[in-house]
Coordinates of all heavy atoms in Angstrom, one line a residue:
M18 N 0.9 -1.1 0.0 CA -0.1 0.0 0.0 C 0.9 1.2 0.0 O 1.7 1.4 0.9 CB -0.9 0.0 1.2 CG -1.8 1.2 1.4 SD -2.9 1.1 2.7 CE -2.0 1.4 4.1
A19 N 0.7 2.1 -1.1 CA 1.6 3.3 -1.2 C 0.9 4.4 -0.3 O -0.3 4.4 -0.1 CB 1.6 3.7 -2.6
S20 N 1.9 5.2 0.3 CA 1.4 6.4 0.9 C 2.4 7.4 0.8 O 3.4 7.1 0.5 CB 1.1 6.1 2.5 OG 2.3 5.7 3.2
G21 N 1.9 8.7 1.2 CA 2.9 9.8 0.9 C 2.6 10.4 -0.4 O 1.4 10.5 -0.9
R22 N 3.5 10.8 -1.1 CA 3.5 11.4 -2.4 C 3.2 10.3 -3.4 O 4.0 9.4 -3.6 CB 4.8 12.1 -2.7 CG 4.5 13.0 -4.0 CD 5.8 13.9 -4.2 NE 6.9 13.1 -4.6 CZ 8.1 13.5 -4.8 NH1 8.4 14.8 -4.6 NH2 9.1 12.7 -5.0
L23 N 2.1 10.5 -4.1 CA 1.6 9.5 -5.1 C 2.0 9.9 -6.5 O 2.1 9.0 -7.3 CB 0.1 9.2 -4.9 CG -0.4 8.7 -3.6 CD1 -1.9 8.8 -3.6 CD2 0.2 7.4 -3.3
G24 N 2.1 11.2 -6.8 CA 2.4 11.6 -8.1 C 2.8 13.1 -8.1 O 2.1 13.8 -7.4
T25 N 3.7 13.5 -9.0 CA 4.0 14.9 -9.3 C 4.2 15.2 -10.7 O 4.7 14.3 -11.4 CB 5.3 15.4 -8.4 OG1 6.3 14.6 -8.9 CG2 5.1 15.2 -6.9
K26 N 3.9 16.3 -11.2 CA 4.2 16.8 -12.6 C 4.5 18.2 -12.6 O 3.8 19.0 -11.9 CB 3.2 16.4 -13.6 CG 3.0 14.8 -13.8 CD 3.9 14.3 -14.9 CE 3.9 12.8 -15.1 NZ 2.7 12.3 -15.5
F27 N 5.3 18.8 -13.5 CA 5.3 20.2 -13.8 C 4.7 20.2 -15.2 O 5.1 19.6 -16.1 CB 6.8 20.6 -13.9 CG 6.9 22.1 -14.3 CD1 6.4 23.1 -13.5 CD2 7.5 22.5 -15.4 CE1 6.4 24.5 -13.8 CE2 7.6 23.9 -15.8 CZ 7.1 24.8 -15.0
L28 N 3.7 21.0 -15.4 CA 2.9 21.2 -16.6 C 3.7 21.9 -17.6 O 3.8 23.2 -17.5 CB 1.4 21.7 -16.3 CG 0.7 20.9 -15.2 CD1 -0.6 21.6 -15.2 CD2 0.5 19.5 -15.6
V29 N 4.3 21.2 -18.6 CA 5.1 21.9 -19.5 C 4.3 22.4 -20.8 O 4.9 23.1 -21.6 CB 6.3 21.1 -19.9 CG1 7.2 20.7 -18.9 CG2 5.7 19.7 -20.7
D30 N 3.2 22.0 -20.9 CA 2.3 22.5 -22.0 C 0.8 22.6 -21.4 O 0.7 22.6 -20.2 CB 2.4 21.7 -23.3 CG 2.0 20.2 -22.9 OD1 1.1 19.9 -22.1 OD2 2.6 19.4 -23.6
T31 N -0.1 22.9 -22.3 CA -1.5 23.3 -21.9 C -2.3 22.0 -22.1 O -3.6 22.1 -21.8 CB -2.1 24.4 -22.7 OG1 -2.0 24.1 -24.1 CG2 -1.3 25.6 -22.4
S32 N -1.8 20.9 -22.4 CA -2.6 19.6 -22.7 C -3.0 19.0 -21.3 O -2.5 19.3 -20.4 CB -1.9 18.7 -23.5 OG -0.7 18.2 -22.8
N33 N -4.1 18.2 -21.3 CA -4.5 17.4 -20.2 C -3.3 16.6 -19.8 O -2.9 15.8 -20.7 CB -5.8 16.7 -20.4 CG -6.9 17.5 -20.6 OD1 -7.1 18.5 -19.9 ND2 -7.8 17.2 -21.6
T34 N -2.9 16.5 -18.6 CA -1.8 15.7 -18.1 C -2.3 14.8 -17.0 O -2.8 15.4 -15.9 CB -0.7 16.7 -17.7 OG1 -0.3 17.5 -18.9 CG2 0.5 15.8 -17.2
S35 N -2.0 13.6 -17.0 CA -2.3 12.6 -15.9 C -1.2 12.8 -14.8 O 0.0 12.6 -15.1 CB -2.3 11.2 -16.3 OG -2.6 10.4 -15.3
I36 N -1.6 13.1 -13.6 CA -0.6 13.3 -12.5 C -0.5 11.9 -11.7 O 0.6 11.7 -11.3 CB -1.1 14.4 -11.6 CG1 -1.5 15.7 -12.3 CG2 -0.1 14.7 -10.5 CD1 -0.4 16.3 -13.1
Y37 N -1.6 11.2 -11.7 CA -1.6 10.0 -10.8 C -2.6 9.1 -11.3 O -3.8 9.6 -11.6 CB -1.7 10.3 -9.4 CG -2.1 9.2 -8.4 CD1 -1.2 8.2 -8.2 CD2 -3.4 9.1 -7.9 CE1 -1.5 7.1 -7.4 CE2 -3.7 8.0 -7.1 CZ -2.8 7.0 -6.9 OH -3.2 5.8 -6.0
T38 N -2.4 7.9 -11.3 CA -3.4 6.8 -11.7 C -3.4 5.8 -10.5 O -2.4 5.4 -10.1 CB -3.1 6.1 -12.9 OG1 -2.9 6.9 -14.0 CG2 -4.0 5.0 -13.3
V39 N -4.7 5.6 -10.0 CA -4.9 4.6 -8.9 C -4.7 3.2 -9.5 O -5.2 2.8 -10.6 CB -6.4 4.7 -8.4 CG1 -6.5 3.7 -7.3 CG2 -6.6 6.1 -7.9
P40 N -3.9 2.4 -8.8 CA -3.7 1.0 -9.3 C -5.0 0.2 -9.3 O -5.9 0.5 -8.6 CB -2.7 0.3 -8.3 CG -2.1 1.6 -7.6 CD -3.1 2.7 -7.7
A41 N -5.2 -0.8 -10.2 CA -6.3 -1.6 -10.3 C -6.4 -2.3 -8.9 O -5.4 -2.6 -8.2 CB -6.1 -2.7 -11.3
A42 N -7.7 -2.5 -8.6 CA -8.0 -3.2 -7.3 C -7.6 -2.4 -6.0 O -7.5 -3.0 -5.0 CB -7.4 -4.7 -7.2
K43 N -7.3 -1.2 -6.2 CA -7.0 -0.2 -5.1 C -8.0 1.0 -5.1 O -8.5 1.2 -6.2 CB -5.6 0.4 -5.2 CG -4.7 -0.7 -5.1 CD -4.2 -1.1 -3.7 CE -3.0 -2.1 -3.7 NZ -2.7 -2.6 -2.5
V44 N -8.1 1.7 -4.0 CA -8.7 3.0 -3.9 C -7.8 3.9 -3.3 O -6.9 3.4 -2.5 CB -10.1 2.9 -3.2 CG1 -11.2 2.1 -3.9 CG2 -10.0 2.5 -1.7
A45 N -7.9 5.2 -3.6 CA -6.9 6.2 -3.0 C -7.7 7.2 -2.3 O -8.8 7.6 -2.8 CB -6.1 6.7 -4.0
V46 N -7.3 7.7 -1.2 CA -7.7 9.0 -0.6 C -6.6 10.0 -0.7 O -5.5 9.7 -0.3 CB -8.2 8.8 0.9 CG1 -8.6 10.1 1.5 CG2 -9.2 7.6 1.0
C47 N -6.9 11.1 -1.3 CA -5.7 12.0 -1.5 C -6.1 13.4 -1.6 O -7.2 13.8 -1.5 CB -5.2 11.7 -3.0 SG -6.3 11.9 -4.4
T48 N -5.0 14.2 -1.6 CA -5.1 15.6 -1.7 C -4.4 16.1 -3.0 O -3.3 15.5 -3.4 CB -4.3 16.4 -0.6 OG1 -5.0 15.9 0.7 CG2 -4.3 17.8 -0.7
I49 N -5.0 17.0 -3.7 CA -4.3 17.5 -4.9 C -3.9 19.0 -4.6 O -4.7 19.8 -4.1 CB -5.3 17.6 -6.2 CG1 -6.0 16.2 -6.5 CG2 -4.7 18.3 -7.3 CD1 -7.1 16.2 -7.5
S50 N -2.6 19.3 -4.8 CA -1.9 20.5 -4.6 C -1.4 20.9 -5.7 O -0.6 20.3 -6.5 CB -1.0 20.4 -3.5 OG -0.4 21.7 -3.1
A51 N -1.5 22.3 -6.1 CA -0.8 23.0 -7.2 C -0.3 24.3 -6.8 O -0.9 25.0 -6.0 CB -1.8 23.1 -8.4
V52 N 0.8 24.7 -7.5 CA 1.4 26.0 -7.2 C 1.8 26.5 -8.5 O 2.3 25.9 -9.3 CB 2.6 26.0 -6.1 CG1 3.7 25.0 -6.8 CG2 3.1 27.4 -5.9
N53 N 1.6 27.9 -8.7 CA 1.8 28.6 -9.8 C 3.2 29.1 -9.8 O 3.5 30.0 -8.9 CB 0.8 29.7 -10.2 CG 1.1 30.5 -11.4 OD1 2.0 30.2 -12.1 ND2 0.3 31.6 -11.6
L54 N 4.2 28.7 -10.7 CA 5.5 29.1 -10.6 C 5.9 30.3 -11.5 O 7.0 30.7 -11.7 CB 6.4 28.0 -10.9 CG 6.3 26.7 -9.9 CD1 7.2 25.7 -10.3 CD2 6.6 27.3 -8.6
S55 N 4.8 30.8 -12.2 CA 5.0 31.8 -13.2 C 4.8 33.3 -12.7 O 4.1 33.4 -11.7 CB 4.2 31.6 -14.5 OG 2.8 31.8 -14.3
A56 N 5.2 34.2 -13.6 CA 5.0 35.6 -13.0 C 3.6 36.2 -13.3 O 3.2 37.4 -13.2 CB 6.0 36.5 -13.7
T57 N 2.8 35.4 -14.0 CA 1.3 35.8 -14.3 C 0.3 34.8 -13.8 O 0.6 33.6 -13.6 CB 1.2 35.9 -15.8 OG1 1.4 34.6 -16.4 CG2 2.1 37.0 -16.5
Q58 N -0.9 35.2 -13.6 CA -2.0 34.4 -13.1 C -2.2 33.4 -14.2 O -2.2 33.6 -15.3 CB -3.3 35.1 -12.9 CG -4.5 34.4 -12.5 CD -5.7 35.2 -12.2 OE1 -5.8 35.9 -11.4 NE2 -6.7 35.0 -13.2
V59 N -2.5 32.2 -13.7 CA -2.8 31.1 -14.6 C -4.1 30.3 -14.2 O -4.3 30.1 -12.9 CB -1.7 30.1 -14.7 CG1 -2.0 28.8 -15.5 CG2 -0.4 30.7 -15.2
K60 N -4.9 30.0 -15.1 CA -6.1 29.2 -14.8 C -5.9 27.7 -15.0 O -5.2 27.2 -16.0 CB -7.3 29.7 -15.6 CG -7.9 30.9 -15.3 CD -9.1 31.3 -16.1 CE -9.6 32.8 -15.7 NZ -10.6 33.2 -16.6
M61 N -6.5 26.9 -14.2 CA -6.2 25.4 -14.4 C -7.6 24.7 -14.2 O -8.5 25.1 -13.6 CB -5.1 24.8 -13.5 CG -5.7 24.6 -12.0 SD -4.4 23.8 -11.0 CE -5.4 23.3 -9.8
V62 N -7.6 23.5 -14.7 CA -8.7 22.6 -14.7 C -8.3 21.2 -14.0 O -7.1 20.8 -14.5 CB -9.3 22.3 -16.2 CG1 -10.4 21.3 -16.1 CG2 -9.8 23.6 -16.7
V63 N -9.1 20.6 -13.2 CA -8.8 19.4 -12.5 C -9.9 18.5 -12.8 O -11.1 18.8 -12.6 CB -8.6 19.6 -11.0 CG1 -8.2 18.3 -10.4 CG2 -7.6 20.5 -10.7
A64 N -9.7 17.2 -13.2 CA -10.6 16.2 -13.5 C -10.2 14.9 -12.9 O -9.0 14.7 -12.7 CB -10.9 16.0 -15.0
L65 N -11.2 14.0 -12.7 CA -11.1 12.6 -12.3 C -11.6 11.8 -13.4 O -12.9 11.8 -13.5 CB -11.7 12.3 -10.9 CG -11.3 13.1 -9.7 CD1 -12.2 12.8 -8.5 CD2 -9.8 13.1 -9.5
T66 N -10.7 11.2 -14.1 CA -11.2 10.5 -15.3 C -11.0 9.1 -15.4 O -10.0 8.5 -14.7 CB -10.6 11.1 -16.7 OG1 -11.1 10.5 -17.7 CG2 -9.1 11.0 -16.6
S67 N -11.9 8.3 -16.0 CA -11.8 6.8 -16.0 C -11.1 6.3 -17.2 O -10.9 5.1 -17.4 CB -13.1 6.2 -15.9 OG -14.0 6.6 -16.8
N68 N -10.8 7.2 -18.2 CA -10.1 6.7 -19.4 C -8.6 7.0 -19.4 O -8.1 7.7 -18.6 CB -10.7 7.5 -20.7 CG -10.5 9.0 -20.7 OD1 -9.3 9.4 -20.6 ND2 -11.5 9.7 -20.8
T69 N -8.0 6.2 -20.3 CA -6.5 6.4 -20.2 C -5.9 7.4 -21.2 O -4.7 7.5 -21.4 CB -5.8 4.9 -20.5 OG1 -6.4 4.6 -21.8 CG2 -6.3 3.9 -19.5
I70 N -6.8 8.1 -21.9 CA -6.2 9.1 -23.0 C -6.2 10.5 -22.4 O -6.0 11.4 -23.2 CB -7.0 8.9 -24.2 CG1 -8.5 9.2 -24.1 CG2 -6.7 7.6 -24.9 CD1 -9.2 9.3 -25.3
N71 N -6.5 10.7 -21.1 CA -6.4 12.0 -20.5 C -7.4 13.0 -21.1 O -7.0 14.2 -21.3 CB -5.1 12.5 -20.5 CG -4.0 11.7 -19.7 OD1 -4.4 11.0 -18.7 ND2 -2.8 11.7 -20.0
S72 N -8.5 12.5 -21.4 CA -9.6 13.4 -22.0 C -10.9 13.3 -21.3 O -11.7 12.5 -21.6 CB -9.8 12.9 -23.6 OG -10.7 13.7 -24.2
P73 N -10.9 14.1 -20.3 CA -12.1 14.0 -19.4 C -13.4 14.6 -20.1 O -13.3 15.5 -20.9 CB -11.7 15.0 -18.2 CG -10.5 15.8 -18.6 CD -9.9 15.1 -19.8
S74 N -14.4 13.9 -19.7 CA -15.7 14.5 -20.1 C -16.2 15.6 -19.2 O -15.4 15.7 -18.1 CB -16.8 13.4 -20.1 OG -17.1 13.1 -18.7
N75 N -17.1 16.4 -19.5 CA -17.5 17.5 -18.7 C -17.9 17.0 -17.3 O -17.7 17.7 -16.3 CB -18.7 18.3 -19.4 CG -18.2 19.1 -20.5 OD1 -17.0 19.5 -20.7 ND2 -19.1 19.6 -21.3
G76 N -18.5 15.9 -17.2 CA -19.0 15.3 -16.0 C -17.8 14.9 -15.0 O -18.1 14.6 -13.8
E77 N -16.6 14.8 -15.5 CA -15.5 14.4 -14.8 C -14.7 15.5 -14.2 O -13.8 15.2 -13.4 CB -14.6 13.4 -15.5 CG -15.3 12.1 -16.0 CD -14.5 11.3 -16.9 OE1 -14.0 11.8 -17.9 OE2 -14.3 10.1 -16.7
I78 N -15.0 16.7 -14.5 CA -14.2 17.9 -14.1 C -14.7 18.2 -12.7 O -15.9 18.4 -12.4 CB -14.5 19.0 -15.1 CG1 -13.9 18.7 -16.4 CG2 -13.9 20.3 -14.5 CD1 -14.2 19.7 -17.5
I79 N -13.8 18.4 -11.7 CA -14.1 18.8 -10.4 C -13.7 20.2 -10.0 O -14.2 20.8 -9.1 CB -13.5 17.8 -9.3 CG1 -12.0 17.8 -9.4 CG2 -14.1 16.4 -9.5 CD1 -11.4 17.0 -8.2
E80 N -12.9 20.8 -10.8 CA -12.5 22.1 -10.7 C -12.3 22.7 -12.1 O -11.7 22.1 -12.9 CB -11.1 22.4 -10.0 CG -11.3 21.9 -8.5 CD -12.0 22.8 -7.6 OE1 -12.4 23.9 -8.0 OE2 -12.3 22.3 -6.5
Y81 N -12.9 23.9 -12.5 CA -12.9 24.5 -13.7 C -12.4 25.9 -13.8 O -12.9 26.8 -13.0 CB -14.2 24.4 -14.5 CG -14.2 24.8 -15.8 CD1 -13.7 24.0 -16.9 CD2 -14.8 26.1 -16.2 CE1 -13.5 24.4 -18.1 CE2 -14.7 26.5 -17.6 CZ -14.2 25.6 -18.5 OH -14.2 26.0 -19.8
N82 N -11.3 26.2 -14.5 CA -10.7 27.6 -14.6 C -10.5 28.3 -13.3 O -10.8 29.3 -13.1 CB -11.6 28.4 -15.5 CG -11.5 28.1 -17.0 OD1 -10.5 27.5 -17.4 ND2 -12.4 28.6 -17.8
V83 N -9.8 27.4 -12.4 CA -9.4 28.0 -11.1 C -8.3 28.9 -11.4 O -7.2 28.5 -11.9 CB -9.0 26.8 -10.2 CG1 -8.5 27.3 -8.9 CG2 -10.2 25.9 -9.9
P84 N -8.3 30.1 -10.9 CA -7.3 31.0 -11.1 C -6.2 30.9 -9.9 O -6.5 30.9 -8.8 CB -7.9 32.5 -11.0 CG -9.1 32.2 -10.1 CD -9.6 30.9 -10.5
L85 N -4.9 30.7 -10.4 CA -3.9 30.7 -9.4 C -3.1 32.0 -9.6 O -2.7 32.3 -10.7 CB -2.9 29.5 -9.7 CG -3.3 28.2 -9.0 CD1 -4.5 27.5 -9.8 CD2 -2.2 27.3 -9.1
A86 N -3.0 32.6 -8.5 CA -2.1 33.9 -8.6 C -0.8 33.7 -8.9 O -0.2 32.6 -8.8 CB -2.2 34.6 -7.0
S87 N -0.3 34.8 -9.5 CA 1.2 34.7 -9.9 C 2.2 34.5 -8.8 O 1.9 34.7 -7.5 CB 1.6 36.1 -10.6 OG 1.4 37.2 -9.7
D88 N 3.3 34.0 -9.2 CA 4.5 33.8 -8.2 C 4.1 33.2 -6.9 O 4.3 33.8 -5.8 CB 5.0 35.3 -7.8 CG 5.7 35.9 -9.1 OD1 6.4 35.1 -9.9 OD2 5.5 37.1 -9.3
G89 N 3.5 32.0 -7.0 CA 3.2 31.1 -5.8 C 1.7 31.0 -5.4 O 1.7 30.4 -4.3
G90 N 0.9 31.3 -6.3 CA -0.5 31.1 -6.0 C -0.7 29.6 -5.7 O -0.3 28.8 -6.5
V91 N -1.5 29.3 -4.7 CA -1.6 27.8 -4.4 C -3.1 27.4 -4.5 O -4.0 28.1 -4.2 CB -1.2 27.5 -2.9 CG1 -1.5 26.1 -2.5 CG2 0.4 27.9 -2.8
F92 N -3.3 26.2 -5.0 CA -4.7 25.5 -5.1 C -4.5 24.2 -4.2 O -3.4 23.5 -4.4 CB -5.1 25.2 -6.4 CG -6.2 24.1 -6.5 CD1 -7.5 24.6 -6.4 CD2 -5.9 22.7 -6.6 CE1 -8.5 23.7 -6.5 CE2 -6.9 21.9 -6.7 CZ -8.2 22.3 -6.6
E93 N -5.5 23.8 -3.3 CA -5.4 22.6 -2.8 C -6.8 22.1 -2.5 O -7.6 22.8 -2.0 CB -4.6 22.6 -1.3 CG -4.4 21.3 -0.7 CD -3.3 21.3 0.4 OE1 -2.1 21.4 0.1 OE2 -3.8 21.4 1.6
R94 N -7.0 20.8 -2.8 CA -8.3 20.1 -2.6 C -8.0 18.9 -2.0 O -7.2 18.0 -2.4 CB -9.1 20.0 -3.8 CG -10.5 19.3 -3.7 CD -11.5 19.9 -4.7 NE -12.7 19.2 -4.4 CZ -13.7 19.2 -5.2 NH1 -13.6 19.6 -6.5 NH2 -14.8 18.6 -5.0
S95 N -8.6 18.6 -0.7 CA -8.3 17.4 0.0 C -9.5 16.5 0.2 O -10.7 16.8 -0.1 CB -7.7 17.7 1.4 OG -8.6 18.4 2.0
G96 N -9.4 15.2 0.7 CA -10.3 14.3 1.1 C -11.0 13.7 -0.3 O -12.2 13.3 -0.2
I97 N -10.2 13.6 -1.3 CA -10.8 13.1 -2.6 C -10.6 11.5 -2.6 O -9.5 11.0 -2.3 CB -10.0 13.7 -3.8 CG1 -10.1 15.2 -3.8 CG2 -10.6 13.1 -5.1 CD1 -9.3 16.0 -4.8
V98 N -11.7 10.8 -2.8 CA -11.6 9.4 -2.8 C -11.7 9.0 -4.4 O -12.7 9.4 -5.0 CB -12.9 8.7 -2.0 CG1 -12.8 7.2 -2.1 CG2 -12.7 9.2 -0.7
I99 N -10.8 8.2 -4.7 CA -10.7 7.9 -6.2 C -10.7 6.3 -6.4 O -10.0 5.6 -5.6 CB -9.4 8.4 -6.9 CG1 -9.4 9.9 -6.5 CG2 -9.5 8.2 -8.3 CD1 -8.0 10.6 -7.0
G100 N -11.5 5.8 -7.3 CA -11.6 4.4 -7.5 C -10.4 3.8 -8.3 O -9.6 4.5 -8.8
P101 N -10.6 2.5 -8.4 CA -9.6 1.7 -9.2 C -9.4 2.2 -10.6 O -10.3 2.5 -11.3 CB -10.0 0.3 -9.1 CG -11.0 0.2 -8.1 CD -11.6 1.6 -7.9
S102 N -8.1 2.4 -11.1 CA -7.8 2.7 -12.4 C -8.2 4.1 -12.8 O -8.1 4.5 -14.0 CB -8.2 1.7 -13.5 OG -7.8 0.4 -13.1
M103 N -8.6 5.0 -11.9 CA -8.9 6.3 -12.2 C -7.8 7.2 -12.3 O -6.8 6.9 -11.6 CB -10.0 6.9 -11.3 CG -11.4 6.2 -11.5 SD -12.8 7.1 -10.7 CE -12.9 8.5 -11.9
N104 N -7.8 8.3 -13.0 CA -6.7 9.2 -13.2 C -7.1 10.6 -12.7 O -8.1 11.1 -12.8 CB -6.4 9.3 -14.7 CG -6.1 8.1 -15.4 OD1 -5.1 7.5 -15.0 ND2 -7.0 7.6 -16.1
V105 N -6.0 11.2 -12.0 CA -6.1 12.7 -11.6 C -5.5 13.4 -12.9 O -4.3 13.2 -13.2 CB -5.4 13.0 -10.4 CG1 -5.4 14.4 -10.2 CG2 -5.9 12.2 -9.3
V106 N -6.2 14.2 -13.5 CA -5.9 14.9 -14.7 C -6.0 16.4 -14.6 O -7.0 16.8 -14.1 CB -6.7 14.4 -16.1 CG1 -6.3 15.2 -17.3 CG2 -6.6 12.9 -16.2
V107 N -4.9 17.1 -14.9 CA -4.8 18.6 -14.7 C -4.4 19.2 -16.1 O -3.5 18.7 -16.7 CB -3.8 18.9 -13.6 CG1 -3.8 20.4 -13.4 CG2 -4.3 18.3 -12.4
S108 N -5.0 20.3 -16.3 CA -4.5 21.2 -17.4 C -4.3 22.7 -17.0 O -5.0 23.1 -16.1 CB -5.4 21.1 -18.7 OG -6.6 21.7 -18.4
A109 N -3.4 23.4 -17.6 CA -3.2 24.7 -17.4 C -3.3 25.6 -18.6 O -3.1 25.2 -19.7 CB -1.7 25.0 -16.8
A110 N -3.8 26.9 -18.4 CA -4.1 27.7 -19.5 C -2.8 28.1 -20.1 O -2.8 28.7 -21.2 CB -4.9 28.9 -19.1
S111 N -1.6 28.2 -19.4 CA -0.3 28.6 -19.8 C 0.7 27.5 -19.6 O 0.6 26.9 -18.6 CB 0.1 29.8 -19.1 OG -0.8 30.9 -19.3
A112 N 1.6 27.4 -20.6 CA 2.6 26.3 -20.5 C 3.8 26.7 -19.4 O 3.8 27.9 -19.1 CB 3.2 26.0 -21.8
N113 N 4.5 25.8 -18.9 CA 5.6 25.9 -18.0 C 5.1 26.9 -16.8 O 5.8 27.9 -16.6 CB 6.7 26.5 -18.8 CG 7.2 25.6 -19.8 OD1 7.4 24.4 -19.6 ND2 7.4 26.1 -21.0
S114 N 4.1 26.6 -16.2 CA 3.7 27.4 -15.0 C 3.3 26.8 -13.8 O 3.5 27.3 -12.8 CB 2.4 28.2 -15.6 OG 1.4 27.4 -16.0
I115 N 2.7 25.6 -13.9 CA 2.1 25.0 -12.7 C 2.8 23.6 -12.2 O 3.0 22.7 -13.1 CB 0.7 24.7 -12.7 CG1 -0.1 26.1 -13.0 CG2 -0.1 24.0 -11.6 CD1 -1.6 26.0 -13.2
A116 N 3.1 23.5 -11.0 CA 3.5 22.2 -10.4 C 2.3 21.6 -9.6 O 1.9 22.3 -8.8 CB 4.8 22.5 -9.6
V117 N 2.2 20.3 -9.9 CA 1.1 19.7 -9.2 C 1.6 18.4 -8.5 O 2.5 17.6 -9.0 CB 0.1 19.2 -10.3 CG1 -1.1 18.5 -9.6 CG2 -0.4 20.3 -11.2
S118 N 1.2 18.2 -7.3 CA 1.4 17.0 -6.5 C 0.1 16.4 -5.9 O -0.8 17.1 -5.6 CB 2.2 17.5 -5.3 OG 3.5 17.9 -5.6
V119 N 0.2 15.1 -6.0 CA -1.0 14.3 -5.4 C -0.4 13.5 -4.3 O 0.7 12.8 -4.5 CB -1.6 13.4 -6.5 CG1 -2.7 12.5 -5.9 CG2 -2.2 14.2 -7.6
Y120 N -0.9 13.6 -3.1 CA -0.5 12.8 -2.0 C -1.6 12.4 -1.2 O -2.7 12.9 -1.1 CB 0.5 13.6 -1.2 CG 0.1 15.0 -0.6 CD1 -0.4 15.1 0.6 CD2 0.1 16.2 -1.5 CE1 -1.0 16.4 1.2 CE2 -0.3 17.3 -1.1 CZ -0.8 17.5 0.2 OH -1.3 18.7 0.7
G121 N -1.3 11.2 -0.5 CA -2.4 10.5 0.3 C -2.0 9.0 0.5 O -0.8 8.8 0.6
F122 N -2.9 8.2 0.3 CA -2.6 6.7 0.5 C -3.6 5.9 -0.3 O -4.7 6.3 -0.7 CB -2.7 6.3 1.9 CG -4.1 6.4 2.6 CD1 -5.0 5.4 2.7 CD2 -4.5 7.8 3.2 CE1 -6.2 5.5 3.2 CE2 -5.7 7.8 3.7 CZ -6.6 6.7 3.7
E123 N -3.1 4.6 -0.6 CA -3.9 3.7 -1.4 C -4.3 2.6 -0.5 O -3.4 2.4 0.5 CB -3.2 3.2 -2.4 CG -2.6 4.1 -3.6 CD -1.6 3.6 -4.5 OE1 -1.0 2.5 -4.1 OE2 -1.3 4.3 -5.5
Q124 N -5.4 2.0 -0.7 CA -5.7 0.8 0.0 C -6.4 -0.2 -0.9 O -6.9 0.2 -1.8 CB -6.5 1.1 1.4 CG -7.9 1.6 1.0 CD -8.7 2.1 2.3 OE1 -8.1 2.5 3.2 NE2 -10.0 1.8 2.2
D125 N -6.5 -1.5 -0.4 CA -7.2 -2.5 -1.2 C -8.6 -2.2 -1.2 O -9.2 -1.7 -0.3 CB -6.9 -3.9 -0.6 CG -5.6 -4.3 -0.7 OD1 -4.8 -4.0 -1.6 OD2 -5.2 -5.2 0.2
Q126 N -9.3 -2.5 -2.4 CA -10.7 -2.2 -2.6 C -11.6 -3.0 -1.7 O -11.4 -4.2 -1.5 CB -11.0 -2.4 -4.1 CG -12.4 -1.9 -4.5 CD -12.6 -2.1 -6.0 OE1 -11.9 -2.8 -6.6 NE2 -13.7 -1.5 -6.4

């Protein structure tokens, strides 16, 4: 059972990026944290998706166009329960701007 930091990524472009995938036959309880490292405000989208192509449907989006302030603006959402094989997917409106971490724990389903 993994615990602690489950996944991290620096978003180098504006595409949907999978930060963490729950292993099959596991569930995860996690926190999603993001920080804006750029000098301008950046909007981001967070989704929990069941597909592997990082293309969330509108119904899978849990945060939409959340503004992160320049130079260190932070977003954090905790207590998220994610089922087997699901993905935490994040996109940013500007490339090379946001660092995302997913931390928490996995347990058997």
Side-chain angles (χ1 to χ4, degrees):
M18 176 171 75
S20 63
R22 189 173 68 181
L23 302 173
T25 62
K26 293 271 173 76
F27 180 66
L28 304 182
V29 297
D30 57 34
T31 59
S32 64
N33 291 320
T34 302
S35 180
I36 310 301
Y37 165 68
T38 302
V39 180
K43 300 278 186 186
V44 294
V46 178
C47 66
T48 297
I49 301 168
S50 181
V52 61
N53 182 1
L54 303 177
S55 73
T57 59
Q58 176 181 292
V59 177
K60 292 182 180 178
M61 81 173 192
V62 176
V63 180
L65 304 176
T66 181
S67 57
N68 67 51
T69 58
I70 58 171
N71 298 333
S72 183
S74 68
N75 287 343
E77 295 175 313
I78 294 171
I79 62 170
E80 297 287 346
Y81 184 73
N82 281 345
V83 175
L85 275 73
S87 61
D88 295 321
V91 174
F92 163 87
E93 188 165 282
R94 184 153 178 197
S95 61
I97 301 169
V98 180
I99 309 171
S102 304
M103 292 195 70
N104 303 291
V105 175
V106 175
V107 179
S108 65
S111 298
N113 297 311
S114 57
I115 297 177
V117 183
S118 294
V119 175
Y120 53 95
F122 64 93
E123 298 169 349
Q124 65 185 33
D125 293 334
Q126 184 179 17

